[in-house]
Amino acid sequence: MNMNKQVMAAALMALGMAAASGTLSAGEEKMEMEKCSGIVKAGMNDCGANGHACAGQSKADNEAGEWIKVPKGTCEKITGGTVVEDKKG
Amino acid sequence: MSHPVKGCGIGLRFQHIDTIVDSNQPIPWLEILTDNYLLPGSVQQDYLFEIAEHYPLTFHGVGMSLGSTDPLDTEYVSRVKALVERVNPAWVSDHLCWTSAHGVVTHDLIPLPYTEETIRHVSQRISQVQDSLERRLVIENVSSYLQYQQSAMSEWDFLCAVVEAADCDILLDVNNIYVSACNHDFDPLAYLNAIPVQRVREIHLAGYEDRGTHLLDTHGYPVSDAVWALYAQAIQRFGAVPTLIEWDNNVPELPVLLAEAAKAAEVQARVLA
Amino acid sequence: MSLPELQHHFITAIFNRDQRDAAALLVKSHGKLDAAQRVGIYRNSVHGILWQYLESLYPVCQQLLGAEFFEAASDCYVDQQPPTRPFLAEYGAGFADFLAAHPALQQMLWIADVARLEWARHQAWNAVNQAAADFSQLANVDAAQQARLVLVLPASAQLLTSAYAIHQVWLAHQPEDSPEKVALEQLELHQTQRVLVWRAGRRLHQVLLDEATWAFLTAIQQANRLPDLAERFQAQLPALLMTAVQRGWILSFTVL
Ligand SMILES: [Fe+2]
């Protein structure tokens, strides 16, 4: 318990130090980013999923059952990522 | 205090927000799709508040579902109201259609049957929203690809009866009139000439897609020549009504949109000279 | 027919192609299209709008599965779980579970985890804005209050763990370069990855966490008090806290 009190005191001191050093500046953040390999995306163009619109869409109707297919995308490039041939198929 | 809305503007799209926030753009006014900014305290609202400081704004919604027989979504209405009070747009519009029913939401604009029953229902709903928002609503005609068996009048008679009963204003989408006129074989001029001049607050222009069997209102192309011609006739009748270019699919670079808006301003200047 | 009945028939047809005929009875056949085809235009438009939205929400899954498969999956998902609220940004939460239950993906369950990561990014972007607390106020917290001190992550913080390399699969599909980026062909798929996604202002961040940091942030998210954190993380705690505050992973604190 005494041990935990010491840990807590050290933790609060660390918090105080982190607060005093302030948030990272843009330059520091960039370095930090590279060091910690964080990824940043910024802005509506990067992050916002398409929102509402008042326009119609043209699109073909898919026949029922047609959707059960084997995916044919970049998953095929990943070792061990795709289905090994379905024996029943 | 909101800036006055005049001339020919463009619809604000996510693709252009960062550019518009970062630089001063020569844009007479912007229309937002209200539904994209309804999360209280969100980064989207943060962007909107910044844009509202620099550009005149109007609010254009797709989610009020004015023609639905489900109860009005009070959470939706109150979120719109909070945003209207915060930003004070020049006006607030939504569509003369239904988008949801029986608890399911399509996020698309579906036409109504044109009957006395529908006029009573939808005008009462518009009044209810106007009372909640403490604002007049501006109602837009939608493109349509079907006619109901039970419709008993033309779309323009229906629209006129609704706005009269609800005492609201009109957002006349000239492209939508043209698309529906082609799809249902009526004279678009008959439509224009039936609309009460003093109620028209705004005009929309957009590009449709010709699907062979019908025209589809995808907002993915420049305004067609036929719609420009119809627009000139609308300006002749309604005067210098603020006009907006809508572009939602294959959204081009900002200068392309602005050039389209400038073209509308040229038509206004030419017709009213 | 009353308006509620008409809307019932129509909305049923939009989300179930086998119900089209009942709705077609309400519609005129004219010109080049009959009534059923006209109802079909609306079914397709609704599915097109939601498909386009889901593509923008799940762009990596779309590439992994291929455009054709994704479109078919989207159509099926929309029919099974149509939107029920007017707020589009809320739609699509169930897509990862839908993919996990998809018969064609039973040996590719990792793709559902990639979908969970993309949903987490969407959630982080849509979370409320918050101001960071003034941590210097911690100096005024007395010993009794320390025992009840709870740290708070940003509302945008999303902690995910997967048995697969979801962070690197996601990275490999980004146009930007980054030090951790590995080509898809070289990627070691079967490795546990712990990911934190959060938003600071208009920037969305995504990082890989080590086991201790992930456990630490999870404990904070579960509102563990400071003494519990001290008990669990012991000598590691000061460094964990310092990093977390500096990187903006801890936004504020409260005394319960
Ligand atoms: Fe419009």
Side-chain angles (χ1 to χ4, degrees):
Chain A
M1 205 56 221
N2 203 22
M3 175 65 190
N4 284 351
K5 279 204 173 121
Q6 283 173 27
V7 169
M8 277 165 60
L12 287 168
M13 196 134 87
L15 270 178
M17 277 164 59
S21 70
T23 48
L24 303 176
S25 71
E28 282 172 325
E29 189 180 13
K30 194 156 180 287
M31 275 171 53
E32 189 75 359
M33 285 283 312
E34 280 155 18
K35 204 170 58 186
C36 307
S37 323
I39 308 130
V40 172
K41 293 246 171 190
M44 291 298 289
N45 205 14
D46 255 3
C47 312
N50 276 350
H52 295 259
C54 49
Q57 282 284 337
S58 57
K59 165 177 189 319
D61 199 357
N62 283 296
E63 292 290 334
E66 196 195 331
W67 56 275
I68 307 177
K69 282 184 195 157
V70 180
K72 282 203 171 9
T74 52
C75 66
E76 293 172 303
K77 296 184 185 171
I78 299 176
T79 313
T82 50
V83 194
V84 191
E85 275 306 297
D86 187 355
K87 303 214 169 46
K88 285 173 285 176
Chain B
M1 190 60 208
S2 68
H3 306 273
V5 164
K6 288 190 299 222
C8 301
I10 58 168
L12 178 65
R13 298 297 177 259
F14 284 169
Q15 290 87 338
H16 303 134
I17 284 187
D18 295 300
T19 311
I20 288 173
V21 163
D22 291 343
S23 59
N24 257 323
Q25 295 289 328
I27 307 172
W29 57 288
L30 287 165
E31 183 159 276
I32 64 148
L33 272 154
T34 321
D35 307 68
N36 288 331
Y37 302 88
L38 293 181
L39 268 171
S42 61
V43 68
Q44 292 88 343
Q45 288 198 346
D46 190 45
Y47 275 106
L48 177 63
F49 299 156
E50 192 175 334
I51 286 167
E53 285 176 25
H54 300 102
Y55 300 92
L57 286 181
T58 54
F59 280 13
H60 186 50
V62 292
M64 203 67 86
S65 202
L66 289 166
S68 173
T69 52
D70 276 2
L72 201 60
D73 190 318
T74 50
E75 185 186 350
Y76 181 88
V77 177
S78 61
R79 285 202 205 180
V80 171
K81 184 177 183 175
L83 198 63
V84 166
E85 284 172 354
R86 171 68 171 75
V87 174
N88 192 21
W91 57 80
V92 180
S93 61
D94 206 305
H95 298 80
L96 185 56
C97 69
W98 59 288
T99 62
S100 59
H102 301 270
V104 179
V105 181
T106 64
H107 295 286
D108 200 357
L109 309 171
I110 308 172
L112 287 159
Y114 305 139
T115 66
E116 294 296 335
E117 179 201 4
T118 315
I119 292 169
R120 276 194 303 277
H121 175 70
V122 74
S123 60
Q124 177 267 321
R125 295 263 286 196
I126 293 169
S127 300
Q128 199 185 338
V129 173
Q130 294 189 134
D131 290 347
S132 301
L133 295 183
E134 300 174 87
R135 284 243 182 181
R136 283 173 80 81
L137 262 191
V138 184
I139 300 301
E140 179 181 354
N141 59 300
V142 296
S143 288
S144 74
Y145 315 107
L146 61 74
Q147 292 170 298
Y148 294 101
Q149 294 283 4
Q150 65 184 108
S151 280
M153 64 190 85
S154 66
E155 185 180 314
W156 52 92
D157 284 343
F158 174 74
L159 171 63
C160 293
V162 167
V163 297
E164 193 64 35
D167 190 20
C168 61
D169 290 329
I170 297 175
L171 193 177
L172 201 63
D173 190 316
V174 171
N175 178 62
N176 289 354
I177 291 178
Y178 183 79
V179 165
S180 295
C182 291
N183 289 343
H184 307 315
D185 200 23
F186 65 73
D187 177 8
L189 277 180
Y191 199 132
L192 278 190
N193 290 330
I195 301 300
V197 173
Q198 69 285 358
R199 288 196 190 269
V200 179
R201 294 289 295 272
E202 179 182 347
I203 290 177
H204 271 180
L205 291 172
Y208 59 76
E209 185 176 314
D210 189 342
R211 303 287 299 166
T213 51
H214 60 288
L215 302 186
L216 191 65
D217 179 36
T218 54
H219 298 180
Y221 299 91
V223 177
S224 71
D225 290 345
V227 171
W228 281 123
L230 189 60
Y231 175 63
Q233 293 190 278
I235 293 303
Q236 188 91 60
R237 175 173 167 81
F238 301 109
V241 178
T243 299
L244 187 102
I245 305 295
E246 292 186 292
W247 207 315
D248 290 284
N249 289 301
N250 317 317
V251 178
E253 297 291 309
L254 198 52
V256 176
L257 264 182
L258 292 174
E260 200 78 340
K263 204 169 160 185
E266 280 165 32
V267 172
Q268 284 204 2
R270 175 165 51 80
V271 171
L272 300 173
Chain C
M1 178 177 289
S2 70
L3 192 54
E5 284 175 283
L6 177 143
Q7 291 182 343
H8 175 71
H9 283 297
F10 207 92
I11 204 129
T12 306
I14 283 178
F15 295 103
N16 183 346
R17 72 195 311 279
D18 299 331
Q19 296 296 315
R20 184 177 293 181
D21 291 349
L25 292 175
L26 312 170
V27 170
K28 290 178 187 167
S29 290
H30 68 92
K32 293 177 184 153
L33 296 167
D34 66 23
Q37 289 170 314
R38 292 183 181 280
V39 174
I41 292 172
Y42 284 94
R43 171 173 162 82
N44 295 340
S45 181
V46 170
H47 284 73
I49 287 166
L50 297 173
W51 167 46
Q52 196 178 54
Y53 163 75
L54 289 171
E55 264 190 340
S56 69
L57 186 51
Y58 296 105
V60 175
C61 289
Q62 198 262 3
Q63 292 172 69
L64 284 167
L65 296 167
E68 203 186 355
F69 187 97
F70 189 91
E71 178 185 343
S74 166
D75 283 350
C76 184
Y77 174 70
V78 166
D79 281 341
Q80 281 183 17
Q81 298 175 47
T84 55
R85 300 252 292 163
F87 313 107
L88 186 58
E90 292 179 4
Y91 187 59
F95 194 62
D97 285 345
F98 169 84
L99 292 180
H102 196 296
L105 300 178
Q106 287 315 296
Q107 292 171 70
M108 309 171 73
L109 291 176
W110 60 275
I111 292 182
D113 279 3
V114 177
R116 288 190 181 94
L117 174 59
E118 295 199 288
W119 179 254
R121 294 181 57 83
H122 181 67
Q123 293 299 97
W125 181 250
N126 287 314
V128 293
N129 292 312
Q130 296 161 304
D134 175 8
F135 283 94
S136 68
Q137 295 299 314
L138 273 173
N140 306 327
V141 171
D142 65 30
Q145 288 172 323
Q146 280 175 23
R148 291 179 281 122
L149 186 72
V150 165
L151 301 161
V152 184
L153 304 184
S156 61
Q158 305 284 319
L159 287 157
L160 285 97
T161 179
S162 170
Y164 309 100
I166 53 172
H167 177 73
Q168 270 160 337
V169 169
W170 185 87
L171 262 187
H173 287 86
Q174 303 311 307
E176 301 88 359
D177 268 334
S178 88
E180 278 174 319
K181 190 165 169 176
V182 177
L184 279 176
E185 291 81 355
Q186 266 100 57
L187 206 142
E188 176 56 64
L189 181 64
H190 294 269
Q191 54 172 308
T192 299
Q193 292 204 324
R194 301 170 191 85
V195 184
L196 171 68
V197 180
W198 83 102
R199 182 168 66 80
R202 293 171 183 177
R203 298 160 77 88
L204 194 62
H205 299 254
Q206 177 176 321
V207 288
L208 214 50
L209 300 178
D210 60 40
E211 199 174 341
T213 309
W214 194 83
F216 174 64
L217 295 179
T218 304
I220 291 176
Q221 196 170 48
Q222 290 162 354
N224 279 287
R225 297 169 189 212
L226 188 61
D228 300 330
L229 295 175
E231 174 73 31
R232 179 156 172 203
F233 296 98
Q234 294 291 320
Q236 281 183 294
L237 185 62
L240 285 169
L241 266 175
M242 184 109 171
T243 309
V245 171
Q246 279 180 337
R247 304 230 40 202
W249 300 338
I250 295 176
L251 198 79
S252 62
F253 59 90
T254 55
V255 176
L256 288 182

